[in-house]
């Protein structure tokens, strides 16, 4: 290109502000840090379970319903198993369940969202499917699925995935539809981008923000769903410990042996609270 | 009384109705305190209309809000005084005292008539509430007063029962003004009251404000970015830059003989209808100061051509330059700066074969539960290589639908759009969008954004694309090093340059600019318009320049098409169309464009 310089001097951008990832920015707030510490502590207890106890969670000592002692920090249950050990391994079970179920649900929901933005009639089908899932209370759905698949850890995972999928699906569908009409997306179309490039290169990176927040929300819901299913006996099967099944076992002894229930309940509450704090912090960061 | 007064001698003795002295406002932001207003002196006499002009970030709106102590929570007044009647200091007043002042003594009208009325309440309820808040009479009296107020602002009293959504934008702004006037305030602060409105409606609202001032004696503080509005309606003007008033005085004096280089620059940047077509707009190079950083000396110094060393170290205060005008400049120009009109480089279009042909295009939008909207009806136009075709029209005229139909975003119901040339539409026709903040993907670097059409269309090797991006960035006046930055680091004008570079990437033969400069401040708008004109002259682009501002369109176009409600009402060479409009609608549009030359001065010139 020849002569005719456009402006006198090239315009230089303002000094770059420290460009920080919005998630990181959200997490580095008092709320985010508290959430990280609480969740981190619970996860650490679960991961390090074998190192923190000398009893296997299913090992039966001869002493049932012991009060807390140096030997058994949370006492023992009705058939003499060490509760400290059961709570730690229960956290472990919960971790396995929620960490496999939530991404599964997210994946299913997102794939369905992509199908539904691609075609109009698929959209109608997918949305009605989501309506059906959402119309069932979680536990009823859990019972139905258990009736088909039988009780067990994998059933809990399937139920959580099914319950969580619509939230991800609707959220991603809405975000794609709104981002598709923004000027930058129109600009990409004018520039010659086909539907695939438009979606992958332009829309998804911008539409994904709320999903990250939803993952944190869904994890906390998943902990509660697992607890509820195991509590009514259609979840993780004994003798394998899970937080829900320990609470279930403690109900008979709430009067005479309250310490039995406290361990698993504290773990569930801390886990859910921490995840909600993380979700809120991420949300703040994303919105800025 | 320490308030400085600079009014004609006969009122000098009088105490100003509202006087701000050394007003300072700081906003808390993630980047630290932003000194949005840095010592503003203003005074407003009864029955006077004072204009505050300035570009975005100049602190004019913040000043307006601070006067009524209505700053958002992040902002606070850190110094100075605002005296009402010369004795009540609003800065020190209690919240209870302020409640009595707002509405009763000071009324406010905001920019967006769409959001400043409560959509759930009828106009009657809203007026009634405003009256009741200040204990106005009983129900019957308030109702009578409400009808009177509506009629005062030119709305039939029968529409009292209407909800805001039943009113048009201009009508809502009238309702806002009626609300602000409900308790007969002495001062009306109007913050960009006509910016969201079409030019013909803008003229009506300004006329209304003027009438009210004359008939009710209400003093009006009119905040605007539009020099023309100030020239036509205000008695005095205060020009703000970087959080300070840089020049203040009678409109005729300030606008015809600006003393501050910024005022002079701003006036040169405004496109006008009374200069020869093809006159180059003079943009002010550079960008406004970042008020989160300390400002040393005069805030304008680094964009000022007259700046001397002292400008960079010592802050000038407002000082009298004549009996009536004051300016804050160490080197004020002493006489009316006659600035030479410089023609833009234009080249004659090549009228042999059109590069773009639109014939008989119609488009109707249908959505469930709403009447169908005919956005375009039977539109014809041709565009020749090297030609700039301006398209003007108010909102709802179908301008954007036309642009989107041409680039293939909307499929027309009827008609044909033909683009001459080699092949794919996306290679031949590119577009620059309106919103510099929404039209760049925030997750991509500038380099990736500019290269995107090349990637999408598989043009060139990675190395060639890289070279092309650097060349384009330089071409639009950006440092090629910015390719690795993200859009958030750039100002509106710079982002628009990035958008232009992206549009130029596949070397199109037609460039469509859909309101591409409307969102920019005039000094930046002028830079971008000049850039477009130069690119066209150099590259032989055909330019379809769509805007609602007739003056901007005329400054760059060879021919102009006027759209109204989806139909072409008039088309012709730019100068002819402006000088001898045929269609009554074109005439109305032309009449509505306020000229930055004060009426008094024009009369003097004509004599």
């Amino acid at each position: 290109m020849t002569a005719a310089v456009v402006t006198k001097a090239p315009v230089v951008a303002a000094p770059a502000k420290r460009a920080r990832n919005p998630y990181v920015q959200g997490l580095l707030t008092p709320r985010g840090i508290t959430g990280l510490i609480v969740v981190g502590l619970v996860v650490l207890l679960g991961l390090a379970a074998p190192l923190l106890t000398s009893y296997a969670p299913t090992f039966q000592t001869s002493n049932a319903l012991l009060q807390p002692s140096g030997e058994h920090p949370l006492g023992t249950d009705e058939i003499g198993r060490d509760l400290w050990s059961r709570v730690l391994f229960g956290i472990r079970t919960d971790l396995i369940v929620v960490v496999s179920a939530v991404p599964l649900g997210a994946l299913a929901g997102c794939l369905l969202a992509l199908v539904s933005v691609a075609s109009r009639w698929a959209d109608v089908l997918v949305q009605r499917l989501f309506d059906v899932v959402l119309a069932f209370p979680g536990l009823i759905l859990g019972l139905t699925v258990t009736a088909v698949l039988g009780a067990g850890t994998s059933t809990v995972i399937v139920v959580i995935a099914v319950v969580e999928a619509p939230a991800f699906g609707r959220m991603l569908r809405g975000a794609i539809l709104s981002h598709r009409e923004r000027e930058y997306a129109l600009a990409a179309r004018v520039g010659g981008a086909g539907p695939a490039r438009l979606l992958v290169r332009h829309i998804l990176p911008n539409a994904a923000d709320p999903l990250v927040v939803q993952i944190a929300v869904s994890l906390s819901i998943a902990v509660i769903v697992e607890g509820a299913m195991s509590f009514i006996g259609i979840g993780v099967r004994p003798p394998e410990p899970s937080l829900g099944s320990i609470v279930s076992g403690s109900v008979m002894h709430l009067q005479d042996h309250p310490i039995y229930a406290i361990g698993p309940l504290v773990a569930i509450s801390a886990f859910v609270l921490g995840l909600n704090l993380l979700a809120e912090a991420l949300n703040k960061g994303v919105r800025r | 009384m320490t308030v400085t007064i600079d009014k004609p001698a006969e009122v000098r003795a009088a105490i100003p109705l509202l006087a701000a002295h050394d007003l300072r406002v700081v906003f808390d932001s993630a980047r630290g305190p932003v000194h949005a207003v840095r010592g503003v002196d203003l005074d407003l006499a009864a029955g006077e209309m004072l204009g505050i002009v300035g570009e975005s970030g100049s602190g004019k709106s913040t000043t307006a809000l601070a006067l009524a102590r209505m700053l958002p929570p992040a902002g606070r007044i850190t110094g100075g005084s605002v005296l009402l009647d010369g004795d009540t200091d609003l800065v020190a007043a209690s919240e209870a005292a302020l409640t009595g002042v707002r509405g009763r003594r000071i009324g406010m009208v905001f920019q967006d008539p769409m959001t400043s009325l409560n959509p759930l309440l009828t106009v009657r309820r809203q007026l009634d509430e405003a009256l009741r808040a200040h204990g106005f009479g009983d129900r019957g009296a308030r109702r009578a007063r409400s009808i009177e107020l509506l009629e005062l602002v030119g709305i039939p009293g029968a529409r009292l029962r209407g909800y805001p959504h039943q009113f048009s934008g201009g009508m809502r702004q009238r309702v806002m003004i009626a609300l602000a006037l409900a308790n007969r305030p002495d001062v009306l602060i109007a913050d960009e009251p006509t910016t969201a409105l079409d030019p013909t409606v803008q003229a009506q609202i300004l006329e209304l404000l003027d009438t009210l001032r004359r008939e009710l004696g209400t003093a009006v503080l009119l905040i605007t970015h539009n020099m023309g509005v100030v020239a036509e309606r205000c008695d005095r003007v205060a020009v703000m830059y970087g959080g300070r008033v840089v020049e203040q005085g009678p409109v005729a004096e300030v606008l015809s003989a600006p003393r501050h280089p910024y005022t002079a620059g701003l006036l040169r940047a405004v496109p006008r209808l009374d200069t020869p077509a093809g006159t180059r707009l003079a943009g002010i190079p550079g960008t406004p100061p970042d008020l989160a950083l300390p400002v040393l000396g005069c805030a304008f110094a680094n964009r000022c051509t007259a700046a001397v060393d002292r400008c960079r170290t010592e802050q000038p205060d407002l000082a009298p330059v004549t009996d009536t005008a004051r300016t804050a400049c160490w080197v004020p120009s002493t006489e009316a700066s006659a600035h030479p009109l410089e023609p833009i480089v234009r080249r004659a279009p090549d009228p042999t074969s059109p590069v773009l042909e639109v014939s008989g295009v119609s488009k109707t939008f249908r959505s469930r539960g709403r009447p169908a909207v005919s956005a375009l009806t039977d539109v014809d136009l041709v565009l020749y290589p090297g030609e700039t075709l301006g398209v003007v029209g108010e909102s709802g005229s179908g301008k954007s639908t036309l642009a989107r139909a041409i680039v293939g975003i909307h499929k027309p119901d009827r008609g044909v759009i033909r683009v001459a040339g080699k092949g794919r539409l996306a290679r031949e026709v590119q577009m620059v969008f309106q919103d510099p903040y929404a039209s760049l993907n925030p997750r991509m670097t500038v380099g990736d954004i500019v290269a995107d059409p090349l990637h999408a269309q598989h043009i060139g090797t990675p190395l060639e694309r890289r070279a092309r991006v650097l060349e384009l960035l330089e071409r639009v006046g950006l440092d090629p090093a910015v390719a690795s930055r993200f859009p958030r680091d750039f100002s509106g004008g710079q982002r628009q340059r990035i958008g232009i570079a992206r549009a130029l990437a596949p070397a199109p033969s037609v460039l469509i600019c859909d309101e591409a400069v409307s969102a920019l401040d005039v000094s930046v708008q002028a830079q971008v318009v000049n850039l477009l004109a130069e690119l066209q002259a150099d590259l032989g682009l055909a330019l379809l320049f769509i805007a609602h501002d007739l003056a901007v369109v005329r400054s760059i176009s060879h021919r102009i098409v006027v759209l109204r409600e989806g139909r072409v009402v008039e088309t012709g060479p730019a100068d002819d169309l402006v000088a001898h409009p045929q269609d009554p609608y074109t005439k109305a549009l032309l009449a509505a464009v306020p000229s930055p030359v004060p009426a008094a001065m024009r009369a003097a010139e004509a004599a």
Side-chain angles (χ1 to χ4, degrees):
Chain A
M1 251 168 263
T2 49
V5 181
V6 175
T7 39
K8 280 99 214 162
V11 182
V12 186
K17 286 149 219 161
R18 284 267 291 132
R20 239 205 245 132
N21 186 315
Y23 305 130
V24 177
Q25 213 160 26
L27 290 179
L28 290 183
T29 54
R31 182 178 301 174
I33 290 171
T34 315
L36 278 176
I37 292 175
V38 173
V39 171
L41 211 65
V42 174
V43 170
L44 205 69
L45 285 178
L47 292 181
L51 307 175
L52 298 175
T53 169
S54 42
Y55 292 93
T58 50
F59 176 77
Q60 299 183 12
T61 63
S62 48
N63 300 309
L65 294 176
L66 283 181
Q67 287 299 320
S69 63
E71 184 75 13
H72 302 292
L74 292 177
T76 59
D77 67 5
E78 68 275 17
I79 51 175
R81 294 176 295 195
D82 175 48
L83 275 169
W84 170 239
S85 159
R86 287 194 57 80
V87 167
L88 293 183
F89 280 90
I91 291 174
R92 220 166 199 229
T93 311
D94 272 48
L95 281 177
I96 293 168
V97 168
V98 301
V99 165
S100 49
V102 170
L104 205 64
L107 191 69
C110 291
L111 286 179
L112 286 170
L114 293 181
V115 170
S116 89
V117 293
S119 123
R120 192 167 282 197
W121 68 263
D123 187 31
V124 175
L125 280 184
V126 169
Q127 293 315 307
R128 292 303 80 77
L129 180 72
F130 287 164
D131 286 345
V132 169
V133 172
L134 288 173
F136 280 100
L139 268 184
I140 306 287
L141 196 77
L143 280 171
T144 319
V145 176
T146 311
V148 178
L149 299 179
T153 312
S154 55
T155 304
V156 178
I157 292 176
V158 171
V159 169
I160 292 173
V162 171
V163 169
E164 296 297 344
F168 287 98
R170 290 213 157 151
M171 190 168 273
L172 184 61
R173 173 179 176 269
I176 291 175
L177 290 183
S178 100
H179 278 274
R180 198 155 71 174
E181 298 304 319
R182 303 219 180 151
E183 277 193 355
Y184 75 84
L186 296 182
R189 282 170 67 187
V190 173
R197 181 178 171 81
L198 183 67
L199 193 68
V200 174
R201 186 87 179 89
H202 294 275
I203 294 178
L204 284 182
N206 287 293
D209 281 349
L211 294 182
V212 176
V213 179
Q214 181 62 35
I215 284 183
V217 174
S218 287
L219 282 171
S220 79
I221 295 174
V223 172
I224 292 172
V225 171
E226 186 285 320
M229 285 183 70
S230 299
F231 183 77
I232 62 168
I234 58 169
V236 175
R237 265 184 301 185
E240 202 189 334
S242 85
L243 294 176
S245 61
I246 304 171
V247 177
S248 181
S250 76
V251 171
M252 305 301 291
H253 309 281
L254 275 182
Q255 292 289 325
D256 50 324
H257 198 62
I259 189 73
Y260 190 166
I262 284 173
L265 286 178
V266 167
I268 291 178
S269 309
F271 204 10
V272 170
L273 179 77
L275 285 167
N276 282 337
L277 284 173
L278 284 185
E280 270 176 48
L282 286 169
N283 196 20
K284 277 258 165 85
V286 168
R287 284 203 192 152
R288 264 181 302 185
Chain B
M1 277 290 301
T2 56
V3 182
T4 35
I5 295 168
D6 63 332
K7 281 203 297 280
E10 62 272 19
V11 275
R12 188 162 300 197
I15 294 165
L17 190 54
L18 191 67
H21 179 63
D22 197 28
L23 188 63
R24 287 164 191 278
V25 177
V26 171
F27 276 89
D28 294 320
S29 81
R31 301 174 49 228
V34 175
H35 299 264
V37 174
R38 303 182 301 123
V40 160
D41 289 349
L42 282 176
D43 55 293
L44 185 66
E48 175 183 52
M49 193 179 293
L50 170 67
I52 300 186
V53 280
E55 299 184 289
S56 38
S58 63
K60 57 187 191 303
S61 289
T62 307
T63 303
L65 290 171
L67 289 177
R69 281 264 305 271
M70 287 180 63
L71 290 168
R76 57 181 193 280
I77 297 176
T78 53
S81 62
V82 177
L83 294 181
L84 185 66
D85 304 327
D87 49 16
T88 319
D89 186 357
L90 299 182
V91 171
S94 68
E95 200 52 42
L98 284 168
T99 311
V101 168
R102 293 184 198 128
R104 180 151 214 127
R105 302 297 315 278
I106 302 179
M108 291 198 91
V109 178
F110 298 101
Q111 175 173 350
D112 190 355
M114 298 297 157
T115 56
S116 34
L117 290 171
N118 185 336
L120 290 178
L121 303 181
T122 60
V123 166
R124 179 185 173 177
R125 272 285 300 278
Q126 300 188 44
L127 282 166
D128 190 69
E129 218 149 81
L131 291 168
R132 202 171 44 193
H134 292 282
F136 185 94
D138 60 5
R139 235 175 106 84
R142 291 199 299 267
R143 187 182 150 78
R145 171 78 176 143
S146 298
I147 294 177
E148 184 190 322
L149 280 165
L150 276 193
E151 282 172 354
L152 183 69
V153 297
I155 297 176
R159 300 207 55 183
L160 202 54
R161 290 178 172 282
Y163 283 91
H165 72 266
Q166 295 165 325
F167 292 79
S168 68
M171 294 280 259
R172 287 187 214 191
Q173 202 58 304
R174 287 171 189 266
V175 173
M176 274 307 298
I177 294 172
L179 271 171
L181 291 176
N183 293 292
R184 299 195 178 90
D186 305 306
V187 181
L188 186 64
I189 298 178
D191 186 4
E192 302 265 11
T194 60
T195 304
L197 306 174
D198 279 325
T200 50
V201 184
Q202 161 170 318
Q204 293 163 13
I205 296 291
L206 291 171
E207 187 60 45
L208 170 66
L209 286 176
D210 220 2
T211 312
L212 294 172
R213 170 179 66 129
R214 267 184 278 116
E215 291 177 2
L216 307 178
T218 315
V220 182
L221 190 68
L222 183 69
I223 288 105
T224 176
H225 66 278
N226 189 327
M227 285 295 213
V229 168
V230 169
E232 298 211 327
R233 304 289 174 180
C234 296
D235 305 314
R236 286 192 309 128
V237 59
V239 181
M240 286 193 69
Y241 186 82
R244 287 176 68 85
V245 174
V246 295
E247 183 155 14
Q248 192 182 129
V251 166
E253 196 175 339
V254 171
L255 297 197
S256 60
R259 306 295 170 148
H260 198 283
Y262 175 66
T263 317
L266 209 52
L267 281 167
R268 279 199 295 275
V270 179
R272 290 164 53 169
L273 287 170
D274 56 354
T275 51
T279 301
R280 202 186 139 88
L281 300 175
I284 304 175
T287 46
D290 182 351
L291 296 178
L293 307 172
V295 178
L296 197 64
C298 172
F300 188 63
N302 60 354
R303 298 174 77 186
C304 183
T305 47
V308 295
D309 286 347
R310 190 177 183 193
C311 299
R312 294 188 181 83
T313 51
E314 214 178 321
Q315 180 168 278
D317 284 320
L318 271 180
V321 277
T322 65
D323 290 344
T324 46
R326 293 188 295 163
T327 188
C329 182
W330 295 123
V331 284
S333 58
T334 43
E335 63 213 53
S337 61
H339 109 92
L341 298 176
E342 192 186 333
I344 51 171
V345 211
R346 288 216 291 190
R347 77 177 189 193
D350 167 16
T352 45
S353 65
V355 63
L356 172 72
E357 250 182 298
V358 173
S359 45
V361 165
S362 299
K363 174 77 191 173
T364 302
F365 290 106
R366 291 164 214 285
S367 55
R368 253 187 293 174
R370 278 190 210 162
V373 181
S374 296
L376 293 175
T377 314
D378 229 1
V379 172
D380 297 311
L381 52 87
V382 281
L383 182 63
Y384 294 100
E387 182 187 38
T388 303
L389 178 62
V391 178
V392 281
E394 298 186 300
S395 48
S397 63
K399 307 183 298 279
S400 289
T401 311
L402 177 65
R404 290 176 178 198
I406 294 172
V407 295
I409 293 174
H410 294 324
K411 212 174 127 45
D413 301 331
R414 265 185 298 120
V416 185
I417 296 168
R418 247 190 312 273
V419 178
K422 297 142 268 189
R424 295 183 55 188
L425 183 69
R427 276 211 81 154
E428 297 303 331
V429 184
Q430 281 295 312
M431 182 156 157
V432 181
F433 290 81
Q434 171 171 9
D435 184 347
Y437 292 88
S439 60
L440 304 179
N441 187 338
R443 295 295 171 88
M444 288 166 78
T445 63
V446 169
D448 286 344
I449 288 171
V450 175
D452 192 61
L454 301 176
H455 278 286
Q457 301 181 44
H458 310 289
I459 302 171
T461 63
L463 220 66
E464 285 166 4
R465 286 178 200 152
R466 174 98 193 127
R468 176 86 177 132
V469 166
L470 300 183
E471 171 198 327
L472 285 166
L473 286 174
E474 197 151 18
R475 192 69 189 79
V476 298
L478 292 168
D479 181 351
V482 304
S484 56
R485 300 269 198 80
F486 286 90
R488 60 169 171 267
D489 293 336
F490 297 87
S491 67
Q494 291 168 337
R495 286 170 191 233
Q496 217 54 334
R497 287 172 192 268
I498 297 168
I500 292 171
R502 169 177 62 191
L504 292 177
S509 47
V510 177
L511 189 63
I512 298 177
C513 301
D514 184 8
E515 299 272 17
V517 297
S518 321
L520 305 175
D521 279 321
V522 280
S523 68
V524 179
Q525 168 180 292
Q527 295 171 11
V528 175
V529 168
N530 288 340
L531 170 66
L532 286 168
E534 278 157 15
L535 286 170
Q536 176 186 43
D538 288 355
L539 308 174
L541 281 172
L543 213 58
L544 192 70
F545 191 86
I546 300 173
H548 64 276
D549 183 343
L550 198 49
V552 182
V553 170
R554 177 172 166 278
S555 74
I556 188 173
S557 305
H558 296 98
R559 284 189 302 133
I560 294 178
V561 169
V562 181
L563 277 185
R564 183 192 191 187
E565 290 168 6
R567 292 172 193 274
V568 174
V569 296
E570 185 166 2
T571 170
D575 285 346
D576 286 2
L577 190 127
V578 169
H580 313 289
Q582 300 300 314
D583 189 88
Y585 180 68
T586 315
K587 287 178 187 163
L589 267 185
L590 279 166
V593 178
S595 164
V597 183
M601 192 188 159
R602 265 187 314 222
E605 272 173 8

